[in-house]
Amino acid sequence: MVNMKIAYIGGGSRVWARKLMYDLALEPRISGTVALYDIDLEAALQNEKIGNLISENKESLSKWHYVAVSSIEEALHDADFVIISILPGTFKEMESDVHLPEKYGIYQSVGDTVGIGGHLRALRAIPIYIDIANKIKENAPHAWVINYTNPMSICTRILYKIFPEIKAIGCCHEVFGTQKLLADMVKEMLKIERPKRSEIKVNVLGINHFTWIDKASYKNIDLFPLYKEFSTKYYDEGYQNEGNWEADYFASCNRVKFDLFKQYGLIAAAGDRHLAEFMPHIYLRNLETIEYWKFRLTPVKWRILEREQKIKENKKLINGEMDVRIEESGEEGVGMLAALLGLEDLVTNVNLPNYGQIKGLPKGAIVETNVLIQKDRVRPIYAGQLLPDLNNLMLRHLYNQESIVEAYLTKNKQMAINAYLNDPMVTLPRGQAMQLYDEMLQNTKSYLPDWILK
């Protein structure tokens, strides 16, 4: 059994930390220590207790020692792996990101990657990630880093900008949801047993939350003809494969996916809520349009209630009022750890600088493609090139992301403004757009430097 140390930055997490703990408990080939660092030390201390309860549970297949630490340096010392899962700012700032634009008629279904909300969240995240990158360089330069924080592309880009030799990957589960949809399709259209997600082989190319599939197969069957028939069949009514879109803020009817296939001939490989925010003003024009496409806006008020519910659950677990039930999360983070330790090979999609794995997109920009993960290495798999119409949309967002990063690093407020105005979701006249921008900057000013507030 391999023994190792994981540094968890954001170790007070009420959602992602529990998922990691469950998956580690179910992996019998590795064990070790997880150092939980969080600016909320009390939350990290709670997770220390929960993690050790999970490790001691009879269903656990491995043994882990969880310990909350008071400094990031202590967490990183002698770490083999670093996991980053944080909220840049608080729900107060996120409330402004997502809901203040609604006063101006701009609706965001998620608000954490692109659009106005993604822009402001990035401005808060960049200084935090500059510090994290420097701390990793000083204390754990050889560790592998797995980032889960959004905006994924910008956070991962900063890690490489500040510490070019870093061994970092950005991980996201959106493609997994599309593989599950394709598995459901195979079951229905071929009248066979539903395949496992891992049996659906796909070629992924794009950027985080705006990923696309140009090849998909099950065994020796090309799934594109099936998907054309399937998406046409369910184009109007939609297809709900996970949850009820009217009751679940994270569910949809996949109608945005089907519409994008009709437009571009490729399978959009993220959830409808994310995809809608990357497109010109089509799916988020107003509340009636959103309802027509059958997906939901995710209110920050709900996220606050969810956090309160998780806090109550944590207390019940610690007090023995709730049983520990270990279950797989569906994430691949622990599988990546196993592969990097040389215990298996793994092909999966991750976010990495573009070394040439996607032709037609800038070198160095963070892109999402399949990679081969083996002992102590991550090798991008050549993904090909998008056709010009879709590539143009991709470039607009990529250059916006690059502009936000460069604006922050060079203290160029005008460049940040230009990136904001260039986002497809900013549909206001310039005067109103700048009024909204100034309001939003003020609402998150405690996380921003003086140069961008002037």
Side-chain angles (χ1 to χ4, degrees):
M1 181 180 286
V2 179
N3 195 278
M4 64 180 188
K5 179 182 176 181
I6 299 172
Y8 193 144
I9 301 173
S13 162
R14 271 89 183 191
V15 177
W16 287 102
R18 188 98 61 85
K19 291 183 178 183
L20 175 70
M21 292 168 180
Y22 288 153
D23 288 345
L24 287 174
L26 293 171
E27 173 50 77
R29 296 172 294 177
I30 54 178
S31 63
T33 299
V34 181
L36 303 165
Y37 169 72
D38 201 289
I39 57 173
D40 183 348
L41 180 57
E42 182 57 38
L45 286 166
Q46 284 190 342
N47 278 345
E48 173 188 300
K49 294 175 183 177
I50 293 169
N52 289 324
L53 282 172
I54 291 171
S55 182
E56 293 162 7
N57 188 273
K58 63 182 180 180
E59 296 178 1
S60 179
L61 304 179
S62 62
K63 295 301 176 186
W64 291 88
H65 175 58
Y66 291 85
V67 56
V69 297
S70 58
S71 72
I72 190 172
E73 290 84 359
E74 185 178 356
L76 292 170
H77 181 69
D78 287 336
D80 301 292
F81 295 94
V82 180
I83 292 174
I84 313 173
S85 170
I86 66 170
L87 175 65
T90 70
F91 283 131
K92 179 182 177 183
E93 286 76 29
M94 193 176 183
E95 178 111 29
S96 172
D97 293 350
V98 175
H99 297 301
L100 180 59
E102 293 173 358
K103 187 172 76 172
Y104 292 79
I106 295 176
Y107 296 94
Q108 300 169 98
S109 35
V110 187
D112 69 356
T113 301
V114 291
I116 302 170
H119 183 103
L120 270 293
R121 186 179 173 111
L123 292 178
R124 293 196 301 275
I126 288 171
I128 299 171
Y129 268 70
I130 290 172
D131 183 61
I132 290 173
N134 281 320
K135 291 294 195 302
I136 292 171
K137 182 178 181 180
E138 294 164 9
N139 297 279
H142 304 297
W144 278 97
V145 180
I146 299 178
N147 176 58
Y148 287 104
T149 305
N150 290 323
M152 173 68 69
S153 299
I154 287 178
C155 290
T156 309
R157 182 69 168 135
I158 284 292
L159 292 175
Y160 278 93
K161 274 279 193 178
I162 302 304
F163 181 20
E165 295 80 21
I166 198 169
K167 299 189 296 185
I169 53 179
C171 297
C172 177
H173 56 210
E174 289 293 312
V175 172
F176 303 167
T178 303
Q179 287 175 295
K180 291 174 184 176
L181 174 66
L182 294 176
D184 286 341
M185 176 194 75
V186 167
K187 177 184 177 182
E188 177 177 324
M189 304 295 280
L190 297 181
K191 304 293 190 291
I192 62 174
E193 185 178 344
R194 185 183 186 277
K196 296 178 182 177
R197 178 186 70 80
S198 59
E199 294 179 290
I200 304 297
K201 305 301 181 183
V202 296
N203 184 56
V204 179
L205 64 170
I207 58 178
N208 184 240
H209 293 155
F210 200 44
T211 40
W212 297 77
I213 293 169
D214 64 353
K215 294 177 184 177
S217 62
Y218 169 62
K219 295 186 176 179
N220 64 337
I221 303 169
D222 178 4
L223 297 184
F224 264 70
L226 278 180
Y227 191 78
K228 183 177 182 180
E229 184 181 346
F230 182 76
S231 61
T232 300
K233 177 180 178 181
Y234 289 107
Y235 182 85
D236 291 320
E237 65 180 282
Y239 181 88
Q240 296 187 84
N241 62 315
E242 292 186 300
N244 181 339
W245 78 274
E246 292 180 292
D248 183 349
Y249 289 118
F250 290 89
S252 76
C253 284
N254 295 294
R255 292 197 66 223
V256 173
K257 270 193 187 67
F258 298 154
D259 191 52
L260 290 173
F261 182 78
K262 188 176 181 180
Q263 289 186 64
Y264 297 104
L266 299 184
I267 300 172
D272 282 12
R273 294 160 55 254
H274 282 297
L275 293 167
E277 294 186 331
F278 282 83
M279 296 302 296
H281 211 46
I282 300 171
Y283 307 108
L284 289 162
R285 186 173 297 123
N286 51 44
L287 295 175
E288 291 75 22
T289 301
I290 295 162
E291 185 174 357
Y292 172 78
W293 289 105
K294 296 185 178 180
F295 64 96
R296 301 286 300 278
L297 306 178
T298 308
V300 175
K301 184 182 294 184
W302 176 85
R303 296 184 186 274
I304 294 170
L305 291 173
E306 184 198 34
R307 178 188 61 181
E308 292 174 354
Q309 179 62 34
K310 292 296 181 184
I311 291 172
K312 291 177 182 177
E313 283 183 15
N314 285 353
K315 289 180 179 177
K316 288 181 179 179
L317 281 171
I318 292 168
N319 295 332
E321 299 169 16
M322 179 184 292
D323 292 333
V324 173
R325 297 178 63 185
I326 299 176
E327 54 190 4
E328 289 185 4
S329 72
E331 303 293 332
E332 284 193 342
V334 173
M336 292 177 188
L337 300 185
L340 288 167
L341 289 167
L343 300 176
E344 61 186 37
D345 290 352
L346 176 66
V347 173
T348 189
N349 55 289
V350 305
N351 291 266
L352 271 178
N354 188 20
Y355 302 110
Q357 59 265 42
I358 301 185
K359 188 178 178 182
L361 298 182
K363 293 287 182 70
I366 301 299
V367 296
E368 187 164 341
T369 66
N370 286 341
V371 297
L372 171 62
I373 304 179
Q374 297 174 305
K375 182 175 174 58
D376 202 33
R377 64 178 178 176
V378 176
R379 301 174 63 183
I381 297 172
Y382 180 68
Q385 183 174 9
L386 294 162
L387 291 173
D389 50 357
L390 193 50
N391 205 64
N392 285 342
L393 274 174
M394 200 71 61
L395 284 170
R396 182 175 183 178
H397 289 289
L398 263 180
Y399 282 124
N400 275 349
Q401 291 169 350
E402 288 290 297
S403 295
I404 294 168
V405 168
E406 194 63 23
Y408 200 101
L409 295 178
T410 61
K411 300 182 179 180
N412 186 336
K413 182 175 181 178
Q414 188 58 53
M415 186 181 290
I417 291 171
N418 292 343
Y420 160 76
L421 293 173
N422 193 44
D423 192 283
M425 292 188 69
V426 181
T427 56
L428 301 169
R430 185 183 178 89
Q432 278 189 301
M434 288 309 303
Q435 182 179 335
L436 172 58
Y437 193 57
D438 290 339
E439 283 187 57
M440 296 187 75
L441 288 177
Q442 287 302 311
N443 286 349
T444 197
K445 65 182 179 182
S446 60
Y447 291 86
L448 300 177
D450 290 343
W451 63 266
I452 204 164
L453 295 170
K454 293 178 181 176

